[in-house]
Amino acid sequence: MRTLDDLELDGARVVVRVDFNVPLDGSDITDDTRIRAALPTLAALKERGAAQVILLAHLGRPKAREPEFSLAPVAARLGELLGRDVPLADEPERDELGDGPVVMVENVRYFAGETKDDADLAARYAALGDVFVNDAFGAAHRAHASNHGIAKLLPSGAGLLLQREVETLTGILANPGRPLVAIVGGSKVTDKIGVLQAFLERADTVLIGGAMCFPFFAAQGIGVGSSLCEEAGIEPAREVLANAKPGQLRLPTDLTLGRSFAADTETQHVDGVETPDGWMGLDVGPKTAAEYAGIVESAGSVFWNGPMGAFELAPFEPGTRAVAEAMARTQATTVVGGGDSAAALTQFGLESQVTHLSTGGGASLELIEGKRLPGVEVLS
Ligand code: ADP
Ligand code: MG
């Protein structure tokens, strides 16, 4: 993969694709992490003499030029962070771009052909600068005009954020510290089956938590009550059980149950994994939490995707908290992917205690599964 080191940046106008897909409440940005995550690349470009940086980004999924998806609040916030105005152009045209070292173009999803990787649109983007840098890891699993088509038309390379994501995520697969422990939880087995399979091939131990465990229990004929248990996940779970090496796959041995998915619901712990009718499993139990934390602490490297329970609800937080705290304590390389897993770490104030917190949900899972990311491939 080409990086900033492979590009002629001195005096260049650099088109940079960034991931500024921030959560908005009206026009208020409720979390500007993604904007701040682009600052190191912008600083590096400045240091290497770039004449102008032209930012391309998407926001939400507008079907046309819908004003609520304008990047205006993002340009304003970036301007505050940089301490200078960031002009926003309506169209990807050279003579519409504002002056100044950093300028932006409106939401790329406003332009017909963006998500179809349209060659004419890519050529319009390419005409904005001399060099292309892709720093939008979160969009790298899509081949769109602003991250794929343009890269074929200009000298191009990865920005610092994208480079770090790819190197860390492929590193934990290719050359992990041993033992490698993978923790897979969350709510949808069918979304994560590829990740599970990738880790069955490489990890010494795979810990299952969250609602992921119920298709595994159902496949073994264990009652799941009204737990969230994806029907379509049962067959893949059966295959995973059949393919795992002895002792490699760990399932919870106790559970915390609730009557419903609510913070004020009646709860009980069961020492065992049979969920009675009228109850749902909403967290791993204390015994499992302690056991998983111990395994994390003696790991050489850990990859975690998916919370151990419904951590948003106070009674079902402890399992996820125990694993997160073990991740924070250990000296092992710790990599976290997934939006809710990141939200859990933030809820516990531990987001800076892991080695790498991936910014790209779908992209990080696809990379772990061994899929090729078009936005990355095109840079090699
Ligand atoms: P990530 O975004 O980290 O990939 P997911 O989106 O797969 O994670 O899963 C997160 C969601 O899973 C959370 O909203 C959490 O409440 C839910 N969840 C975890 N365990 C359970 C459970 N036992 N029952 C129902 N929901 C659960
Ligand atoms: Mg999620």
Side-chain angles (χ1 to χ4, degrees), residues 33-80:
T33 307
R34 285 181 164 164
I35 304 176
R36 283 184 286 108
L39 296 178
T41 295
L42 299 187
L45 291 172
K46 182 178 178 191
E47 191 178 303
R48 292 169 195 224
Q52 189 179 39
V53 168
I54 302 108
L55 297 172
L56 298 178
H58 80 281
L59 182 64
R61 296 177 174 211
K63 294 275 169 289
R65 200 177 268 270
E66 299 167 52
E68 64 268 38
F69 295 101
S70 169
L71 282 170
V74 174
R77 181 77 191 106
L78 179 62
E80 284 165 27

Side-chain angles (χ1 to χ4, degrees), residues 120-135:
D120 293 335
L121 181 60
R124 288 175 72 198
Y125 295 146
L128 297 173
D130 312 307
V131 174
F132 175 65
V133 168
N134 188 0
D135 216 16

Side-chain angles (χ1 to χ4, degrees), residues 195-207:
V195 172
L196 257 180
Q197 269 153 357
F199 279 115
L200 281 181
E201 284 170 28
R202 295 178 180 84
D204 299 286
T205 311
V206 178
L207 308 177

Side-chain angles (χ1 to χ4, degrees), residues 15-105:
V15 182
V16 184
R17 175 63 160 97
V18 284
D19 180 4
F20 283 173
N21 194 22
V22 292
L24 284 173
D25 179 10
S27 60
D28 289 335
I29 297 167
T30 54
D31 179 357
D32 68 356
T33 307
R34 285 181 164 164
I35 304 176
R36 283 184 286 108
L39 296 178
T41 295
L42 299 187
L45 291 172
K46 182 178 178 191
E47 191 178 303
R48 292 169 195 224
Q52 189 179 39
V53 168
I54 302 108
L55 297 172
L56 298 178
H58 80 281
L59 182 64
R61 296 177 174 211
K63 294 275 169 289
R65 200 177 268 270
E66 299 167 52
E68 64 268 38
F69 295 101
S70 169
L71 282 170
V74 174
R77 181 77 191 106
L78 179 62
E80 284 165 27
L81 292 167
L82 294 176
R84 61 162 70 240
D85 218 36
V86 175
L88 180 65
D90 276 336
E91 291 288 331
E93 297 299 336
R94 181 78 227 152
D95 54 12
E96 289 215 13
L97 294 181
D99 294 324
V102 181
V103 301
M104 280 181 74
V105 176

Side-chain angles (χ1 to χ4, degrees), residues 192 338-340:
K192 297 189 177 175
D340 292 286

Side-chain angles (χ1 to χ4, degrees), residues 318-344:
T320 305
R321 180 186 279 279
V323 165
E325 287 176 349
M327 298 270 292
R329 266 196 306 273
T330 175
Q331 297 302 304
T333 303
T334 47
V335 179
V336 181
D340 292 286
S341 308

